[in-house]
Amino acid sequence: MAAIAQDLAGTVLRGLKDLPGRAAIGEPLARHTTFRIGGNAEVMYWPTQPGALVEAVQWAQQVGVPWMVLGGGSNVLFLDRGFPGIVISTRRLRAVEVDRTELRAQAGAPLARLVRYGMGALAGIPGSVGGAVVMNAGTRHGSMAAYLCWVKALDGRGRLRTLGPAECELSYRDSALRRLGWPVLSAGFRLSQRDVEPQRVLQERRSSQPMGFPSAGCVFRNPTDGPAAGWLIEQAGMKGYRVGDAVVSELHANFICNAGRARASDVLALIERVRCRVQQRFGVWLGLELDVVTPL
Ligand SMILES: Cc1cc2nc3c(=O)[nH]c(=O)nc-3n(C[C@H](O)[C@H](O)[C@H](O)COP(=O)(O)OP(=O)(O)OC[C@H]3O[C@@H](n4cnc5c(N)ncnc54)[C@H](O)[C@@H]3O)c2cc1C
């Protein structure tokens, strides 16, 4: 096994060697997720130019090496065995520019910067532009869909495409980009004078979400009809329920927190117990908002 892994890492490093940016072998993914959980990436690569991200993805597609794009790592759970391929981080693609009422941002720009330019409904959501676009991240005050004008993304054949909002099909924590697995390189947003006041949004979050422990935000999607996932979990008596160091938050039952050294297997076991209990009690099977990264 070790020899195969060495071989894969060597192949990837050779494939990336002329591209700008940094690559690391055996990078601990726990360092790159807000959950602070996950094994190692066979190779992690931080491109410093959008073109390098494009070439890295095209190369991985051609040679058949598993790959994924990671933004702020605030909505993912990597397994304890890690990722057997190349994790391409957008952390070094952070440029933002504003042209009157349009804001253009590279995929790795933190959402917090967009909030400063006026996209107040997103205040307090961790993560990057790319992750937020594919997830259609948002709060009850509004989501990415309210601001999005265009997206530059790579299609399944590695061709660059510019898509309008309709083609992106943003819906509740979902998009066509997410379903198709198309990497987002940059996006444009409409700024308005009459946006939501970020302080108000932040205040609401502070009183309703656990801030002290690592987490990945809401784990379950709210059902389309009826009460929210958090309410169902709380009423099913699961607040404070624990597997290893993975704990259902006492403050917001749709959050699972890492209370120390939680492993991905703890989180997954806890997810199944919560789902089964809610199913028994209310007949509702909760879908996941959290992205559990399970490469073949
Ligand atoms: C404390 C906390 C509070 C949160 N509150 C909210 C909230 O109020 N509302 C909300 O919507 N979310 C919330 N989240 C979840 C999360 O912050 C959002 O989903 C965020 O948009 C994820 O962005 P990211 O860059 O961290 O994505 P990641 O976690 O890095 O990735 C998530 C998914 O997006 C994909 N992805 C990342 N970048 C790209 C790219 N450039 N192109 C294509 N795919 C990409 C990844 O492959 C993965 O499938 C919260 C999370 C935490 C930890």
Side-chain angles (χ1 to χ4, degrees), residues 86-104:
I86 166 169
V87 175
I88 304 169
S89 167
T90 59
R91 290 251 171 169
R92 294 191 179 185
L93 301 171
R94 304 162 73 92
V96 172
E97 55 182 44
V98 178
D99 183 3
R100 283 179 296 182
T101 57
E102 186 177 279
L103 184 153
R104 294 187 278 267

mmCIF file with all atom_site columns, all heavy atoms in Angstrom, residues 86-104:
data_model
loop_
_atom_site.group_PDB
_atom_site.id
_atom_site.type_symbol
_atom_site.label_atom_id
_atom_site.label_alt_id
_atom_site.label_comp_id
_atom_site.label_asym_id
_atom_site.label_entity_id
_atom_site.label_seq_id
_atom_site.pdbx_PDB_ins_code
_atom_site.Cartn_x
_atom_site.Cartn_y
_atom_site.Cartn_z
_atom_site.occupancy
_atom_site.B_iso_or_equiv
_atom_site.pdbx_formal_charge
_atom_site.auth_seq_id
_atom_site.auth_comp_id
_atom_site.auth_asym_id
_atom_site.auth_atom_id
_atom_site.pdbx_PDB_model_num
ATOM 1   N N   . ILE A 1 86  ? -5.649  14.232 -5.169  1.00 0.00 ? 86  ILE A N   1
ATOM 2   C CA  . ILE A 1 86  ? -5.148  15.602 -5.048  1.00 0.00 ? 86  ILE A CA  1
ATOM 3   C C   . ILE A 1 86  ? -6.273  16.541 -4.587  1.00 0.00 ? 86  ILE A C   1
ATOM 4   O O   . ILE A 1 86  ? -7.328  16.600 -5.215  1.00 0.00 ? 86  ILE A O   1
ATOM 5   C CB  . ILE A 1 86  ? -4.486  16.046 -6.372  1.00 0.00 ? 86  ILE A CB  1
ATOM 6   C CG1 . ILE A 1 86  ? -4.267  17.546 -6.410  1.00 0.00 ? 86  ILE A CG1 1
ATOM 7   C CG2 . ILE A 1 86  ? -5.277  15.653 -7.587  1.00 0.00 ? 86  ILE A CG2 1
ATOM 8   C CD1 . ILE A 1 86  ? -3.404  17.953 -7.565  1.00 0.00 ? 86  ILE A CD1 1
ATOM 9   N N   . VAL A 1 87  ? -6.028  17.205 -3.478  1.00 0.00 ? 87  VAL A N   1
ATOM 10  C CA  . VAL A 1 87  ? -6.958  18.217 -2.973  1.00 0.00 ? 87  VAL A CA  1
ATOM 11  C C   . VAL A 1 87  ? -6.411  19.577 -3.408  1.00 0.00 ? 87  VAL A C   1
ATOM 12  O O   . VAL A 1 87  ? -5.286  19.942 -3.046  1.00 0.00 ? 87  VAL A O   1
ATOM 13  C CB  . VAL A 1 87  ? -7.086  18.161 -1.432  1.00 0.00 ? 87  VAL A CB  1
ATOM 14  C CG1 . VAL A 1 87  ? -7.965  19.300 -0.918  1.00 0.00 ? 87  VAL A CG1 1
ATOM 15  C CG2 . VAL A 1 87  ? -7.674  16.812 -1.007  1.00 0.00 ? 87  VAL A CG2 1
ATOM 16  N N   . ILE A 1 88  ? -7.190  20.284 -4.204  1.00 0.00 ? 88  ILE A N   1
ATOM 17  C CA  . ILE A 1 88  ? -6.729  21.570 -4.755  1.00 0.00 ? 88  ILE A CA  1
ATOM 18  C C   . ILE A 1 88  ? -7.380  22.686 -3.944  1.00 0.00 ? 88  ILE A C   1
ATOM 19  O O   . ILE A 1 88  ? -8.606  22.842 -3.955  1.00 0.00 ? 88  ILE A O   1
ATOM 20  C CB  . ILE A 1 88  ? -7.110  21.694 -6.246  1.00 0.00 ? 88  ILE A CB  1
ATOM 21  C CG1 . ILE A 1 88  ? -6.538  20.510 -7.028  1.00 0.00 ? 88  ILE A CG1 1
ATOM 22  C CG2 . ILE A 1 88  ? -6.622  23.016 -6.819  1.00 0.00 ? 88  ILE A CG2 1
ATOM 23  C CD1 . ILE A 1 88  ? -7.066  20.393 -8.461  1.00 0.00 ? 88  ILE A CD1 1
ATOM 24  N N   . SER A 1 89  ? -6.568  23.413 -3.202  1.00 0.00 ? 89  SER A N   1
ATOM 25  C CA  . SER A 1 89  ? -7.099  24.466 -2.329  1.00 0.00 ? 89  SER A CA  1
ATOM 26  C C   . SER A 1 89  ? -7.149  25.797 -3.067  1.00 0.00 ? 89  SER A C   1
ATOM 27  O O   . SER A 1 89  ? -6.214  26.160 -3.786  1.00 0.00 ? 89  SER A O   1
ATOM 28  C CB  . SER A 1 89  ? -6.196  24.598 -1.095  1.00 0.00 ? 89  SER A CB  1
ATOM 29  O OG  . SER A 1 89  ? -6.523  25.786 -0.409  1.00 0.00 ? 89  SER A OG  1
ATOM 30  N N   . THR A 1 90  ? -8.231  26.559 -2.842  1.00 0.00 ? 90  THR A N   1
ATOM 31  C CA  . THR A 1 90  ? -8.346  27.883 -3.476  1.00 0.00 ? 90  THR A CA  1
ATOM 32  C C   . THR A 1 90  ? -7.843  29.002 -2.557  1.00 0.00 ? 90  THR A C   1
ATOM 33  O O   . THR A 1 90  ? -8.014  30.174 -2.866  1.00 0.00 ? 90  THR A O   1
ATOM 34  C CB  . THR A 1 90  ? -9.813  28.180 -3.846  1.00 0.00 ? 90  THR A CB  1
ATOM 35  O OG1 . THR A 1 90  ? -10.597 28.132 -2.654  1.00 0.00 ? 90  THR A OG1 1
ATOM 36  C CG2 . THR A 1 90  ? -10.354 27.188 -4.860  1.00 0.00 ? 90  THR A CG2 1
ATOM 37  N N   . ARG A 1 91  ? -7.227  28.625 -1.433  1.00 0.00 ? 91  ARG A N   1
ATOM 38  C CA  . ARG A 1 91  ? -6.868  29.641 -0.420  1.00 0.00 ? 91  ARG A CA  1
ATOM 39  C C   . ARG A 1 91  ? -5.993  30.772 -0.949  1.00 0.00 ? 91  ARG A C   1
ATOM 40  O O   . ARG A 1 91  ? -5.971  31.848 -0.374  1.00 0.00 ? 91  ARG A O   1
ATOM 41  C CB  . ARG A 1 91  ? -6.114  28.972 0.729   1.00 0.00 ? 91  ARG A CB  1
ATOM 42  C CG  . ARG A 1 91  ? -6.987  28.094 1.556   1.00 0.00 ? 91  ARG A CG  1
ATOM 43  C CD  . ARG A 1 91  ? -7.246  28.694 2.899   1.00 0.00 ? 91  ARG A CD  1
ATOM 44  N NE  . ARG A 1 91  ? -8.274  27.890 3.550   1.00 0.00 ? 91  ARG A NE  1
ATOM 45  C CZ  . ARG A 1 91  ? -8.613  27.994 4.802   1.00 0.00 ? 91  ARG A CZ  1
ATOM 46  N NH1 . ARG A 1 91  ? -8.029  28.890 5.568   1.00 0.00 ? 91  ARG A NH1 1
ATOM 47  N NH2 . ARG A 1 91  ? -9.552  27.249 5.306   1.00 0.00 ? 91  ARG A NH2 1
ATOM 48  N N   . ARG A 1 92  ? -5.233  30.486 -2.004  1.00 0.00 ? 92  ARG A N   1
ATOM 49  C CA  . ARG A 1 92  ? -4.349  31.542 -2.510  1.00 0.00 ? 92  ARG A CA  1
ATOM 50  C C   . ARG A 1 92  ? -4.926  32.271 -3.721  1.00 0.00 ? 92  ARG A C   1
ATOM 51  O O   . ARG A 1 92  ? -4.209  33.015 -4.395  1.00 0.00 ? 92  ARG A O   1
ATOM 52  C CB  . ARG A 1 92  ? -2.997  30.951 -2.847  1.00 0.00 ? 92  ARG A CB  1
ATOM 53  C CG  . ARG A 1 92  ? -2.284  30.457 -1.618  1.00 0.00 ? 92  ARG A CG  1
ATOM 54  C CD  . ARG A 1 92  ? -0.884  30.143 -1.953  1.00 0.00 ? 92  ARG A CD  1
ATOM 55  N NE  . ARG A 1 92  ? -0.177  29.683 -0.792  1.00 0.00 ? 92  ARG A NE  1
ATOM 56  C CZ  . ARG A 1 92  ? 1.111   29.418 -0.791  1.00 0.00 ? 92  ARG A CZ  1
ATOM 57  N NH1 . ARG A 1 92  ? 1.817   29.588 -1.884  1.00 0.00 ? 92  ARG A NH1 1
ATOM 58  N NH2 . ARG A 1 92  ? 1.702   29.000 0.295   1.00 0.00 ? 92  ARG A NH2 1
ATOM 59  N N   . LEU A 1 93  ? -6.187  32.041 -3.979  1.00 0.00 ? 93  LEU A N   1
ATOM 60  C CA  . LEU A 1 93  ? -6.856  32.750 -5.089  1.00 0.00 ? 93  LEU A CA  1
ATOM 61  C C   . LEU A 1 93  ? -7.918  33.650 -4.458  1.00 0.00 ? 93  LEU A C   1
ATOM 62  O O   . LEU A 1 93  ? -9.087  33.289 -4.383  1.00 0.00 ? 93  LEU A O   1
ATOM 63  C CB  . LEU A 1 93  ? -7.490  31.733 -6.054  1.00 0.00 ? 93  LEU A CB  1
ATOM 64  C CG  . LEU A 1 93  ? -6.515  30.731 -6.677  1.00 0.00 ? 93  LEU A CG  1
ATOM 65  C CD1 . LEU A 1 93  ? -7.259  29.639 -7.439  1.00 0.00 ? 93  LEU A CD1 1
ATOM 66  C CD2 . LEU A 1 93  ? -5.533  31.444 -7.599  1.00 0.00 ? 93  LEU A CD2 1
ATOM 67  N N   . ARG A 1 94  ? -7.481  34.787 -3.961  1.00 0.00 ? 94  ARG A N   1
ATOM 68  C CA  . ARG A 1 94  ? -8.358  35.575 -3.084  1.00 0.00 ? 94  ARG A CA  1
ATOM 69  C C   . ARG A 1 94  ? -8.684  36.968 -3.601  1.00 0.00 ? 94  ARG A C   1
ATOM 70  O O   . ARG A 1 94  ? -9.244  37.778 -2.876  1.00 0.00 ? 94  ARG A O   1
ATOM 71  C CB  . ARG A 1 94  ? -7.676  35.763 -1.713  1.00 0.00 ? 94  ARG A CB  1
ATOM 72  C CG  . ARG A 1 94  ? -7.296  34.475 -1.043  1.00 0.00 ? 94  ARG A CG  1
ATOM 73  C CD  . ARG A 1 94  ? -6.274  34.722 0.034   1.00 0.00 ? 94  ARG A CD  1
ATOM 74  N NE  . ARG A 1 94  ? -6.837  35.361 1.195   1.00 0.00 ? 94  ARG A NE  1
ATOM 75  C CZ  . ARG A 1 94  ? -7.320  34.714 2.241   1.00 0.00 ? 94  ARG A CZ  1
ATOM 76  N NH1 . ARG A 1 94  ? -7.296  33.396 2.257   1.00 0.00 ? 94  ARG A NH1 1
ATOM 77  N NH2 . ARG A 1 94  ? -7.805  35.361 3.270   1.00 0.00 ? 94  ARG A NH2 1
ATOM 78  N N   . ALA A 1 95  ? -8.330  37.269 -4.853  1.00 0.00 ? 95  ALA A N   1
ATOM 79  C CA  . ALA A 1 95  ? -8.492  38.655 -5.326  1.00 0.00 ? 95  ALA A CA  1
ATOM 80  C C   . ALA A 1 95  ? -9.975  39.056 -5.404  1.00 0.00 ? 95  ALA A C   1
ATOM 81  O O   . ALA A 1 95  ? -10.836 38.250 -5.766  1.00 0.00 ? 95  ALA A O   1
ATOM 82  C CB  . ALA A 1 95  ? -7.856  38.806 -6.698  1.00 0.00 ? 95  ALA A CB  1
ATOM 83  N N   . VAL A 1 96  ? -10.224 40.304 -5.015  1.00 0.00 ? 96  VAL A N   1
ATOM 84  C CA  . VAL A 1 96  ? -11.575 40.879 -5.093  1.00 0.00 ? 96  VAL A CA  1
ATOM 85  C C   . VAL A 1 96  ? -11.458 42.250 -5.733  1.00 0.00 ? 96  VAL A C   1
ATOM 86  O O   . VAL A 1 96  ? -10.547 43.007 -5.397  1.00 0.00 ? 96  VAL A O   1
ATOM 87  C CB  . VAL A 1 96  ? -12.181 41.054 -3.671  1.00 0.00 ? 96  VAL A CB  1
ATOM 88  C CG1 . VAL A 1 96  ? -13.497 41.820 -3.726  1.00 0.00 ? 96  VAL A CG1 1
ATOM 89  C CG2 . VAL A 1 96  ? -12.395 39.704 -2.998  1.00 0.00 ? 96  VAL A CG2 1
ATOM 90  N N   . GLU A 1 97  ? -12.318 42.575 -6.671  1.00 0.00 ? 97  GLU A N   1
ATOM 91  C CA  . GLU A 1 97  ? -12.326 43.948 -7.193  1.00 0.00 ? 97  GLU A CA  1
ATOM 92  C C   . GLU A 1 97  ? -13.760 44.422 -7.351  1.00 0.00 ? 97  GLU A C   1
ATOM 93  O O   . GLU A 1 97  ? -14.666 43.621 -7.617  1.00 0.00 ? 97  GLU A O   1
ATOM 94  C CB  . GLU A 1 97  ? -11.548 44.060 -8.504  1.00 0.00 ? 97  GLU A CB  1
ATOM 95  C CG  . GLU A 1 97  ? -12.012 43.120 -9.583  1.00 0.00 ? 97  GLU A CG  1
ATOM 96  C CD  . GLU A 1 97  ? -11.182 43.252 -10.843 1.00 0.00 ? 97  GLU A CD  1
ATOM 97  O OE1 . GLU A 1 97  ? -9.947  43.326 -10.737 1.00 0.00 ? 97  GLU A OE1 1
ATOM 98  O OE2 . GLU A 1 97  ? -11.787 43.282 -11.930 1.00 0.00 ? 97  GLU A OE2 1
ATOM 99  N N   . VAL A 1 98  ? -13.920 45.738 -7.131  1.00 0.00 ? 98  VAL A N   1
ATOM 100 C CA  . VAL A 1 98  ? -15.268 46.304 -7.206  1.00 0.00 ? 98  VAL A CA  1
ATOM 101 C C   . VAL A 1 98  ? -15.296 47.340 -8.304  1.00 0.00 ? 98  VAL A C   1
ATOM 102 O O   . VAL A 1 98  ? -14.415 48.197 -8.393  1.00 0.00 ? 98  VAL A O   1
ATOM 103 C CB  . VAL A 1 98  ? -15.669 46.954 -5.861  1.00 0.00 ? 98  VAL A CB  1
ATOM 104 C CG1 . VAL A 1 98  ? -17.050 47.592 -5.969  1.00 0.00 ? 98  VAL A CG1 1
ATOM 105 C CG2 . VAL A 1 98  ? -15.664 45.918 -4.764  1.00 0.00 ? 98  VAL A CG2 1
ATOM 106 N N   . ASP A 1 99  ? -16.307 47.231 -9.172  1.00 0.00 ? 99  ASP A N   1
ATOM 107 C CA  . ASP A 1 99  ? -16.473 48.192 -10.248 1.00 0.00 ? 99  ASP A CA  1
ATOM 108 C C   . ASP A 1 99  ? -17.895 48.739 -10.114 1.00 0.00 ? 99  ASP A C   1
ATOM 109 O O   . ASP A 1 99  ? -18.850 48.093 -10.542 1.00 0.00 ? 99  ASP A O   1
ATOM 110 C CB  . ASP A 1 99  ? -16.267 47.462 -11.582 1.00 0.00 ? 99  ASP A CB  1
ATOM 111 C CG  . ASP A 1 99  ? -16.343 48.414 -12.753 1.00 0.00 ? 99  ASP A CG  1
ATOM 112 O OD1 . ASP A 1 99  ? -16.490 49.633 -12.509 1.00 0.00 ? 99  ASP A OD1 1
ATOM 113 O OD2 . ASP A 1 99  ? -16.283 47.945 -13.894 1.00 0.00 ? 99  ASP A OD2 1
ATOM 114 N N   . ARG A 1 100 ? -18.014 49.885 -9.470  1.00 0.00 ? 100 ARG A N   1
ATOM 115 C CA  . ARG A 1 100 ? -19.318 50.489 -9.156  1.00 0.00 ? 100 ARG A CA  1
ATOM 116 C C   . ARG A 1 100 ? -20.259 49.506 -8.458  1.00 0.00 ? 100 ARG A C   1
ATOM 117 O O   . ARG A 1 100 ? -20.033 49.188 -7.310  1.00 0.00 ? 100 ARG A O   1
ATOM 118 C CB  . ARG A 1 100 ? -19.942 51.102 -10.414 1.00 0.00 ? 100 ARG A CB  1
ATOM 119 C CG  . ARG A 1 100 ? -19.272 52.436 -10.725 1.00 0.00 ? 100 ARG A CG  1
ATOM 120 C CD  . ARG A 1 100 ? -19.808 53.064 -11.938 1.00 0.00 ? 100 ARG A CD  1
ATOM 121 N NE  . ARG A 1 100 ? -19.546 52.257 -13.115 1.00 0.00 ? 100 ARG A NE  1
ATOM 122 C CZ  . ARG A 1 100 ? -19.883 52.583 -14.328 1.00 0.00 ? 100 ARG A CZ  1
ATOM 123 N NH1 . ARG A 1 100 ? -20.539 53.686 -14.544 1.00 0.00 ? 100 ARG A NH1 1
ATOM 124 N NH2 . ARG A 1 100 ? -19.582 51.823 -15.342 1.00 0.00 ? 100 ARG A NH2 1
ATOM 125 N N   . THR A 1 101 ? -21.223 48.939 -9.194  1.00 0.00 ? 101 THR A N   1
ATOM 126 C CA  . THR A 1 101 ? -22.188 48.076 -8.488  1.00 0.00 ? 101 THR A CA  1
ATOM 127 C C   . THR A 1 101 ? -21.896 46.595 -8.668  1.00 0.00 ? 101 THR A C   1
ATOM 128 O O   . THR A 1 101 ? -22.671 45.751 -8.254  1.00 0.00 ? 101 THR A O   1
ATOM 129 C CB  . THR A 1 101 ? -23.625 48.355 -8.989  1.00 0.00 ? 101 THR A CB  1
ATOM 130 O OG1 . THR A 1 101 ? -23.626 48.152 -10.394 1.00 0.00 ? 101 THR A OG1 1
ATOM 131 C CG2 . THR A 1 101 ? -24.085 49.743 -8.619  1.00 0.00 ? 101 THR A CG2 1
ATOM 132 N N   . GLU A 1 102 ? -20.754 46.267 -9.299  1.00 0.00 ? 102 GLU A N   1
ATOM 133 C CA  . GLU A 1 102 ? -20.430 44.837 -9.450  1.00 0.00 ? 102 GLU A CA  1
ATOM 134 C C   . GLU A 1 102 ? -19.160 44.478 -8.691  1.00 0.00 ? 102 GLU A C   1
ATOM 135 O O   . GLU A 1 102 ? -18.156 45.195 -8.770  1.00 0.00 ? 102 GLU A O   1
ATOM 136 C CB  . GLU A 1 102 ? -20.268 44.450 -10.921 1.00 0.00 ? 102 GLU A CB  1
ATOM 137 C CG  . GLU A 1 102 ? -20.078 42.944 -11.054 1.00 0.00 ? 102 GLU A CG  1
ATOM 138 C CD  . GLU A 1 102 ? -19.989 42.448 -12.494 1.00 0.00 ? 102 GLU A CD  1
ATOM 139 O OE1 . GLU A 1 102 ? -21.057 42.303 -13.104 1.00 0.00 ? 102 GLU A OE1 1
ATOM 140 O OE2 . GLU A 1 102 ? -18.871 42.204 -12.975 1.00 0.00 ? 102 GLU A OE2 1
ATOM 141 N N   . LEU A 1 103 ? -19.233 43.394 -7.959  1.00 0.00 ? 103 LEU A N   1
ATOM 142 C CA  . LEU A 1 103 ? -18.061 42.889 -7.235  1.00 0.00 ? 103 LEU A CA  1
ATOM 143 C C   . LEU A 1 103 ? -17.618 41.605 -7.926  1.00 0.00 ? 103 LEU A C   1
ATOM 144 O O   . LEU A 1 103 ? -18.446 40.730 -8.182  1.00 0.00 ? 103 LEU A O   1
ATOM 145 C CB  . LEU A 1 103 ? -18.460 42.604 -5.787  1.00 0.00 ? 103 LEU A CB  1
ATOM 146 C CG  . LEU A 1 103 ? -17.366 42.163 -4.810  1.00 0.00 ? 103 LEU A CG  1
ATOM 147 C CD1 . LEU A 1 103 ? -17.747 42.560 -3.397  1.00 0.00 ? 103 LEU A CD1 1
ATOM 148 C CD2 . LEU A 1 103 ? -17.137 40.661 -4.857  1.00 0.00 ? 103 LEU A CD2 1
ATOM 149 N N   . ARG A 1 104 ? -16.311 41.528 -8.250  1.00 0.00 ? 104 ARG A N   1
ATOM 150 C CA  . ARG A 1 104 ? -15.777 40.313 -8.873  1.00 0.00 ? 104 ARG A CA  1
ATOM 151 C C   . ARG A 1 104 ? -14.795 39.673 -7.908  1.00 0.00 ? 104 ARG A C   1
ATOM 152 O O   . ARG A 1 104 ? -13.913 40.368 -7.382  1.00 0.00 ? 104 ARG A O   1
ATOM 153 C CB  . ARG A 1 104 ? -15.056 40.656 -10.172 1.00 0.00 ? 104 ARG A CB  1
ATOM 154 C CG  . ARG A 1 104 ? -15.991 41.184 -11.239 1.00 0.00 ? 104 ARG A CG  1
ATOM 155 C CD  . ARG A 1 104 ? -15.285 41.357 -12.567 1.00 0.00 ? 104 ARG A CD  1
ATOM 156 N NE  . ARG A 1 104 ? -14.556 42.620 -12.617 1.00 0.00 ? 104 ARG A NE  1
ATOM 157 C CZ  . ARG A 1 104 ? -15.066 43.753 -13.105 1.00 0.00 ? 104 ARG A CZ  1
ATOM 158 N NH1 . ARG A 1 104 ? -16.289 43.784 -13.577 1.00 0.00 ? 104 ARG A NH1 1
ATOM 159 N NH2 . ARG A 1 104 ? -14.347 44.847 -13.128 1.00 0.00 ? 104 ARG A NH2 1
#
